[in-house]
Amino acid sequence: MARPFIGAAVEIRDPGHSARIFARDNTTAFAARLAEAAREAGASDPQQLGEQLALLLDGASTRSRVLDADTFATAAAIAVILIDNAIPWAAVTPESSAEPE
């Protein structure tokens, strides 16, 4: 899931350049979609969770590209922690909520 807009934004120094604006708008929209999903899931602070997940995915994408290695399994493990902290009931599974016999 490489995010090519990140590379474009890094390479283009002028913040007013149309490609840089497009990259910024795309990145902002990506975080907003994640925040909306977090809101629908009942996150206590969906905006924060959306930004955290967007940053995590952007970082994993960049690191994966630089290292030519799969970093998404590690990112997924971190995402689980972020989600569990933002949506406490998400950590409850049918097995963990079952009463002991």
Side-chain angles (χ1 to χ4, degrees):
M1 177 183 166
R3 303 214 352 109
F5 303 115
I6 294 171
V10 169
E11 294 294 326
I12 300 168
R13 292 181 179 248
D14 177 9
H17 189 282
S18 60
R20 181 106 178 249
I21 291 169
F22 181 81
R24 182 191 63 224
D25 291 349
N26 179 274
T27 300
T28 302
F30 179 64
R33 287 191 304 274
L34 291 171
E36 182 56 31
R39 184 174 295 103
E40 290 173 6
S44 56
D45 188 344
Q47 193 68 31
Q48 180 182 32
L49 180 58
E51 288 295 327
Q52 289 171 333
L53 293 173
L55 179 61
L56 176 63
L57 289 170
D58 285 346
S61 176
T62 301
R63 190 166 173 83
S64 180
R65 177 75 55 114
V66 170
L67 298 177
D68 193 27
D70 184 10
T71 60
F72 292 104
T74 300
I78 295 168
V80 167
I81 294 167
L82 292 172
I83 292 167
D84 285 351
N85 287 336
I87 310 170
W89 59 265
V92 177
T93 64
E95 296 81 27
S96 68
S97 64
E99 296 203 16
E101 294 182 26

